[in-house]
Amino acid sequence: MSSGVASGTKPQIITEHVIEIISDSGEGAQTCGQMFADLCARNGNGIWTVEIIPAEIQPPARSRAGASGYRIRLGSKPLTNAGDYADLVIAFNEQVLYSRLDSKALHGGTLLFVDKSWAENPDPGIRRKYNEAVNEFRERGLVVTEVPIEQECRKFTDDPRKGKNMWVLGMLCATYDFDPSAVGAEIAKRFARKGEASVKQNQALFTDGYDWALENVALRFHVPPHESTTPMVVMNGNQALALGVMAAGIEVCSMYPITPATSASHFLASTIEQTGGIVHQAEDEIAAIGFAIGCSYAGKTAVTITSGPGLALKTEFLGYAVMAEVPLVIVVVQRGGPSTGLPTKIEQGDLFAALYASPGDVPKIVIAPATIEECFHFMITARKLAEDFRGPVMVLSDANLATGQKPFPRPELRESWLAPPVDQSPWNPEVPPFAWDKETGLSRRPIPGQRGGEYVITGLAHDEESHVAYDSQINQRSMEMRSRKLAVLRSALKPPKVYGDNTGDLLVVGWGSTLGAIEEAVDRLRAEGLKVSSVHLRFLSPMEPGLKEIFGRFHKVMTIEINYSDDVGQPYITEDSRRYSQLAQLLRAQTLVDIDCWSRVPGSPLPPGVIEEQLRQRLTRRES
Amino acid sequence: MYGLKKEWEIEAPARECTLEDYVGAEARWCPGCGDHAVLSTVQRLARDLQLPPEKTVVVSGIGCSSRFPHYMKTYGFHGLHGRALPVAEGVRSRRPDLDIFVVTGDGDCCAIGAGHWIHGIRYNMDLTILLLDNNVYGLTKNQTSPTSRVGEKSNTQPHGSFFAPLNPISVVLGIANASFVAQTVDWNPPHLYATIRAAHEHKGASFVRVLQRCPHFSSHVFAPVQEDFSQMLLMESERGVKLAEPIRGMFPRTLEHDPRDLSKARELADRTDVYPIGVFYKNDNASRYDTVTQQGLEITRAEKMAAINGMLDRFAVQGRN
Ligand SMILES: Cc1ncc(C[n+]2csc(CCOP(=O)(O)OP(=O)(O)O)c2C)c(N)n1
């Protein structure tokens, strides 16, 4: 389908590039980005992607804050984060770029390709704005190329809003030296639902974009793929966790829609019936968790998937699951809070809510995947822990993992991951429903259908027989038993691995999706000879052992987090009054080490360069 | 059995369950509380139907009435205030083999649990739902309930309830996909028994409002009705509840009512001059959500693994085909 004409320019070999495709919402930049990312991954390149999403479905066109699009970091080696500034940006209009500049995604040197049709728009206001913006971008050092995107698209469609994305995909393929021949089939797959004419039209748009770029763009790049023999899969974190749900043998996903968690349930809704399971869309989050708890009580495995505001509603039942020891997996895909907060954006603000949001003492297991691959595997761990430790297990993901795509080794499924069949054998009536082991607090539970095991589960204080008991000694003891389970789990965990040297000047502690960016920042500083290391926690309750000892080997310890903390030096903010970020507070309380923190709430992932800068400052502060 | 997979199979019960097999802890309700009558009725029904205690689950919320599961010797789930229905739906979702009763109070069901109530009726999963309506919050000691009559004094509305009471029967008859709606009274055991039995027999969400006396806070509400049977209207039908003599003869007012007639049912529900008792409405053809949620139970582990492997293939990036 391609003309195949090699352009005069030979591609420049590079090890990585950060690319952004930015448009108004509804123009398909995300489809274009996903398809390009897919192409890169299939080619054997390392990728990490970020969805750029406005909060509204369709904000007004050409609005400064309305950027919708996709970032792809493309490399020769596997990548662990979205990188720093964009190297190349294609924009469907110039206004949406302002928000990218504001979020420091672009800088001087960024190659910018912008649709120049706005320069000829009949509306003089639009023409003026376009010219002003392009001048401003040039002044800021961006390397601007004006591209007749719309004009070219009009050769094939009267509605270029619906065609620009495939044209730009063609342009990207030419610019990054990809073989266009396989793309036609991909387009056919994507647009099959819309009919033959649409497939043809989009293929033509793609080819035109490809040819146009070959002829008109002097710059071409080649990112050599990373050779690997390991079978790989590429997907986003929500797809990974949905597949993990099924691989764990969980048969019910009980949910209520909430961004950015919902896409995991969408994926399950379209697949889980193949594994014999169901998605239940409940009337609200309270019902969603209640339904899951009912399922689990009856011996079936269930997960409820939500985000911050949904977690807030679930807390009463969460406490119930702790009190009555009902196994349950709860996934919280964090977004920006408090309240409705930043619904489509990234934050790690729900650690405390996960740990403490229910009334009373609610010891529960909380784990946080740090990579997309872990989103898959942690579901299997979570299901197993919930069953073995007889209670809720919270999995804290975030919007960064949920929507980012990255290749990882294809999981080799094991049957032992699947939940065992429901035990319906008779229960020894001598064994009470809460036969807490004196040492560990662990116990097995009878399941409805097991003759001899009949009992009434209750959220009231209860004794081993599950009889309501307000007796002070029984209450003390049952609290001990529920709490003891966490200490037992902790005794089975290994201390976390230190990334970098085991001793040094500065240790960075992180959790969740910041792993890749933190380690990249650490790498850069270590390359300069600075003595920085990091540890990344997966278990947040109970905490992995050995932390105090590890911290003791560094002059300074700090956390990097995407949640709010006060900066000392701001009005009223002193060392005494400052509020620390959430993990820092926890670690300070647990270890009595004077742990510092740096955290921000930009609604986007923390770039490695920004983290690097903060770490450098802390290091020099120490020296001075 | 029922075409279910092996894990659900049970041996035919070669045992005879007696009433004691269903009697749990000693009921701690006040003397004279209508809940006692409902409890013994459910126990008798379970005995008469020989429901295996291990296959019977009673789910409740929070309230005096919600203590019900503790007093049964079956499996029980004493949950959260207002949230009995979602739990019961979850139990039902993958367990076609269990008998599930839901016990709830008027605060539990019609106030804090109202959202779940509406949707639970609409889901129409096979559950026997008993609303023990004493027109007052009992456990928390005399606060106004959504079903309290205008002017009833309580600790939260000492000058009397402001609003017209919510009529639970009218509400349920207004919910799409309702399939079984009945009303009975705690003080007439034969009618109570016959109504709960009919509800249990019905496949779907069977909603029974039991007018229930609270000896402490609302005894005056139902005492006159208990004393004067003409304040009740006995709705009779072969398809609903039909009492035998001499009990039938105690009701001076009777009415033949076909429970398939929804508009007549609504008309009866709205009557304020009498309490109609019996089955208002019954629809055997309403769609049942549990037939959907129970799909796939027969899928084997090997089939699950194959399916997930197939999904992973879609994300594979090796081979560059
Ligand atoms: C979330 C929550 N809010 C409030 C309560 C306190 N509470 C317990 S029972 C009850 C009302 C009970 O009234 P009803 O449902 O009519 O049952 P009854 O006791 O009359 O049988 C209330 C408000 C609670 N347990 N949980």
Side-chain angles (χ1 to χ4, degrees):
Chain A
M1 54 180 257
S2 143
S3 65
V5 188
S7 91
T9 33
K10 256 188 109 183
Q12 194 182 323
I13 308 282
I14 52 171
T15 55
E16 67 159 83
H17 240 199
V18 176
I19 302 150
E20 286 192 0
I21 305 135
I22 307 291
S23 70
D24 280 336
S25 165
E27 289 188 311
Q30 280 167 16
T31 306
C32 170
Q34 279 160 10
M35 288 180 77
F36 185 64
D38 224 50
L39 199 70
C40 300
R42 277 174 201 284
N43 190 49
N45 285 112
I47 59 160
W48 185 282
T49 72
V50 182
E51 281 179 11
I52 300 156
I53 325 170
E56 300 83 8
I57 300 287
Q58 189 148 1
R62 293 175 51 78
S63 67
R64 283 189 169 213
S68 168
Y70 215 72
R71 165 178 273 227
I72 304 142
R73 187 176 181 195
L74 158 66
S76 284
K77 287 204 262 176
L79 297 164
T80 62
N81 65 82
D84 296 310
Y85 296 105
D87 297 293
L88 184 144
V89 178
I90 303 184
F92 294 14
N93 74 60
E94 78 295 342
Q95 292 300 312
V96 286
L97 286 168
Y98 280 104
S99 67
R100 300 309 294 156
L101 278 164
D102 291 346
S103 25
K104 303 203 167 59
L106 322 177
H107 69 160
T110 298
L111 303 169
L112 171 62
F113 293 87
V114 60
D115 188 353
K116 73 171 179 196
S117 64
W118 307 105
E120 281 123 51
N121 195 282
D123 179 341
I126 289 182
R127 290 202 300 270
R128 178 175 49 77
K129 278 195 167 160
Y130 174 83
N131 289 324
E132 279 170 11
V134 167
N135 287 337
E136 183 180 338
F137 299 154
R138 287 204 165 110
E139 275 162 28
R140 291 205 194 190
L142 279 80
V143 183
V144 184
T145 306
E146 294 172 274
V147 182
I149 303 180
E150 181 166 333
Q151 193 186 323
E152 287 291 316
C153 291
R154 283 207 185 275
K155 297 201 288 202
F156 308 93
T157 171
D158 295 332
D159 182 9
R161 268 181 66 81
K162 295 263 168 337
K164 286 180 182 182
N165 63 345
M166 288 302 110
W167 195 88
V168 166
L169 181 64
M171 195 178 152
L172 281 168
C173 276
T175 311
Y176 288 93
D177 196 31
F178 280 111
D179 175 7
S181 61
V183 182
E186 286 301 319
I187 293 176
K189 247 195 262 165
R190 275 265 174 176
F191 294 90
R193 264 188 314 129
K194 297 189 175 160
E196 182 64 11
S198 169
V199 169
K200 287 241 151 68
Q201 185 183 65
N202 281 290
Q203 285 170 337
L205 282 158
F206 170 82
T207 307
D208 192 72
Y210 185 86
D211 292 342
W212 187 90
L214 275 193
E215 278 155 37
N216 298 287
V217 181
L219 280 166
R220 289 183 73 208
F221 303 101
H222 182 77
V223 186
H226 159 74
E227 292 303 332
S228 149
T229 49
T230 322
M232 303 287 274
V233 284
V234 62
M235 63 184 76
N236 67 37
N238 273 1
Q239 288 166 329
L241 86 80
L243 281 162
V245 163
M246 292 184 277
I250 293 174
E251 53 187 274
V252 172
C253 165
S254 178
M255 52 75 68
Y256 187 82
I258 184 165
T259 304
T262 317
S263 66
S265 303
H266 287 178
F267 183 78
L268 283 169
S270 66
T271 52
I272 199 170
E273 62 192 32
Q274 295 172 47
T275 68
I278 57 156
V279 171
H280 169 58
Q281 179 182 332
E283 60 272 22
D284 59 35
E285 280 93 348
I286 300 173
I289 185 172
F291 190 99
I293 285 176
C295 250
S296 173
Y297 166 76
K300 295 299 196 164
T301 46
V303 63
T304 184
I305 306 180
T306 192
S307 189
L311 170 61
L313 287 178
K314 288 179 198 289
T315 52
E316 194 187 4
F317 259 129
L318 200 53
Y320 186 96
V322 171
M323 180 61 146
E325 305 192 47
V326 186
L328 180 69
V329 179
I330 301 155
V331 177
V332 178
V333 184
Q334 298 165 95
R335 63 188 214 177
S339 191
T340 312
L342 301 173
T344 61
K345 308 228 182 234
I346 290 157
E347 198 176 296
Q348 301 179 308
D350 296 338
L351 178 54
F352 282 170
L355 289 168
Y356 306 126
S358 307
D361 183 47
V362 280
K364 70 176 95 64
I365 299 169
V366 179
I367 56 180
T371 64
I372 289 164
E373 182 178 11
E374 287 176 2
C375 288
F376 176 89
H377 290 281
F378 275 31
M379 296 313 294
I380 294 139
T381 313
R383 205 258 319 136
K384 191 100 181 56
L385 287 173
E387 204 59 60
D388 291 351
F389 288 84
R390 199 177 170 179
V393 174
M394 181 107 63
V395 180
L396 277 181
S397 176
D398 67 36
N400 192 14
L401 293 173
T403 59
Q405 299 216 53
K406 175 188 157 58
F408 62 88
R410 181 189 167 121
E412 276 180 52
L413 300 181
R414 289 194 215 141
E415 201 191 311
S416 60
W417 290 351
L418 298 176
V422 181
D423 188 357
Q424 293 286 273
S425 63
W427 179 272
N428 176 1
E430 301 293 306
V431 179
F434 294 96
W436 295 303
D437 179 88
K438 280 196 195 65
E439 293 282 309
T440 62
L442 297 173
S443 58
R444 275 187 59 226
R445 63 188 182 125
I447 306 265
Q450 288 194 283
R451 191 169 168 183
E454 296 83 357
Y455 79 112
V456 181
I457 193 169
T458 179
L460 283 164
H462 51 268
D463 61 14
E464 297 202 342
E465 301 287 346
S466 198
H467 293 158
V468 176
Y470 302 137
D471 177 289
S472 54
Q473 277 169 20
I474 293 175
N475 196 42
Q476 180 70 24
R477 176 171 147 72
S478 54
M479 290 274 209
E480 274 167 19
M481 293 290 92
R482 290 189 295 271
S483 179
R484 186 80 51 82
K485 294 190 286 183
L486 289 191
V488 171
L489 172 56
R490 186 174 188 270
S491 74
L493 300 176
K494 293 195 198 86
K497 283 209 182 75
V498 176
Y499 185 79
D501 287 342
N502 267 327
T503 58
D505 290 331
L506 178 62
L507 179 74
V508 185
V509 192
W511 65 285
S513 69
T514 49
L515 173 74
I518 291 177
E519 291 188 351
E520 189 164 332
V522 167
D523 283 342
R524 291 180 194 174
L525 293 167
R526 292 181 65 79
E528 295 172 18
L530 295 169
K531 294 195 168 77
V532 190
S533 301
S534 62
V535 288
H536 213 76
L537 302 183
R538 267 61 170 202
F539 275 79
L540 296 157
S541 169
M543 284 230 179
E544 288 146 76
L547 294 179
K548 187 165 185 164
E549 199 260 322
I550 295 170
F551 296 170
R553 300 197 300 254
F554 290 83
H555 285 124
K556 200 170 170 65
V557 183
M558 70 182 292
T559 70
I560 296 277
E561 298 175 68
I562 313 179
N563 53 43
Y564 182 77
S565 64
D566 288 330
D567 289 333
V568 175
Q570 295 292 314
Y572 292 92
I573 307 298
T574 64
E575 280 297 341
D576 287 339
S577 68
R578 93 188 257 208
R579 291 171 63 240
Y580 286 82
S581 58
Q582 298 186 15
L583 180 63
Q585 277 195 57
L586 266 187
L587 291 175
R588 290 171 68 87
Q590 293 232 340
T591 62
L592 293 182
V593 174
D594 187 6
I595 290 163
D596 196 1
C597 66
W598 183 80
S599 71
R600 279 293 177 275
V601 283
S604 52
L606 297 178
V610 171
I611 297 174
E612 179 192 340
E613 210 31 60
Q614 287 307 318
L615 301 189
R616 196 189 305 282
Q617 277 180 27
R618 298 289 152 132
L619 279 163
T620 47
R621 216 183 284 172
R622 202 191 93 73
E623 281 150 18
S624 58
Chain B
M1 191 191 156
Y2 308 130
L4 299 172
K5 66 185 277 199
K6 213 164 177 70
E7 61 183 272
W8 304 116
E9 260 174 27
I10 51 157
E11 287 163 29
R15 54 176 161 158
E16 168 89 19
C17 291
T18 64
L19 205 53
E20 280 66 50
D21 291 319
Y22 301 98
V23 176
E26 192 193 341
R28 293 165 63 98
W29 293 308
C30 308
C33 171
D35 293 348
H36 291 287
V38 184
L39 175 66
S40 62
T41 300
V42 172
Q43 287 165 340
R44 272 195 298 127
L45 180 71
R47 190 263 329 263
D48 293 351
L49 300 174
Q50 287 293 300
L51 305 181
E54 72 276 13
K55 292 268 186 183
T56 306
V57 182
V58 184
V59 182
S60 67
I62 294 286
C64 292
S65 40
S66 287
R67 286 298 181 95
F68 201 106
H70 290 280
Y71 310 143
M72 296 284 292
K73 209 196 277 175
T74 61
Y75 278 91
F77 193 112
H78 182 204
L80 293 180
H81 192 33
R83 321 294 175 199
L85 278 168
V87 171
E89 291 151 11
V91 175
R92 171 55 82 216
S93 68
R94 305 292 282 175
R95 295 293 306 256
D97 58 327
L98 301 174
D99 261 280
I100 307 173
F101 292 86
V102 179
V103 181
T104 176
D106 39 303
D108 201 57
C109 176
C110 312
I112 190 168
H116 309 310
W117 178 32
I118 291 174
H119 294 280
I121 296 298
R122 197 167 66 99
Y123 298 151
N124 192 32
M125 296 172 101
D126 192 18
L127 304 170
T128 305
I129 305 165
L130 308 177
L131 165 61
L132 308 194
D133 187 352
N134 54 9
N135 279 211
V136 74
Y137 283 22
L139 189 70
T140 44
K141 301 201 167 53
N142 196 20
Q143 294 87 23
T144 304
S145 140
T147 60
S148 300
R149 298 183 303 197
V150 175
E152 287 294 340
K153 295 188 164 70
S154 79
N155 285 327
T156 43
Q157 299 192 3
H159 306 300
S161 175
F162 310 129
F163 309 114
L166 179 150
N167 176 341
I169 299 289
S170 307
V171 169
V172 174
L173 287 171
I175 300 171
N177 213 38
S179 77
F180 184 101
V181 187
Q183 180 156 273
T184 182
V185 297
D186 78 56
W187 55 86
N188 192 290
H191 193 268
L192 183 62
Y193 180 93
T195 309
I196 297 179
R197 184 167 181 141
H200 179 265
E201 234 159 66
H202 175 76
K203 293 279 162 244
S206 314
F207 180 82
V208 181
R209 180 194 189 199
V210 183
L211 305 182
Q212 178 241 320
R213 294 158 303 161
C214 171
H216 274 284
F217 307 123
S218 66
S219 58
H220 60 286
V221 175
F222 294 126
V225 192
Q226 184 188 1
E227 276 150 30
D228 172 11
F229 272 46
S230 72
Q231 295 194 29
M232 289 176 277
L233 173 64
L234 186 69
M235 298 182 292
E236 296 183 295
S237 167
E238 284 302 338
R239 298 175 186 279
V241 168
K242 197 133 198 166
L243 292 181
E245 299 296 351
I247 306 295
R248 179 177 184 274
M250 293 167 69
F251 292 88
R253 303 169 75 175
T254 64
L255 175 79
E256 183 65 25
H257 167 62
D258 182 347
R260 289 172 301 184
D261 186 343
L262 181 58
S263 53
K264 184 76 191 166
R266 286 179 173 156
E267 202 178 292
L268 283 163
D270 288 342
R271 283 182 66 164
T272 49
D273 58 325
V274 283
Y275 288 103
I277 62 170
V279 181
F280 286 89
Y281 183 63
K282 179 166 157 53
N283 175 6
D284 295 330
N285 300 319
S287 44
R288 268 174 56 197
Y289 184 41
D290 39 352
T291 61
V292 177
T293 63
Q294 285 159 9
Q295 278 171 15
L297 285 171
E298 68 297 339
I299 288 186
T300 64
R301 296 165 79 78
E303 285 167 338
K304 288 183 190 184
M305 303 268 293
I308 303 161
N309 264 317
M311 294 173 208
L312 282 169
D313 286 342
R314 281 175 37 207
F315 295 98
V317 289
Q318 207 60 16
R320 297 184 209 170
N321 41 11

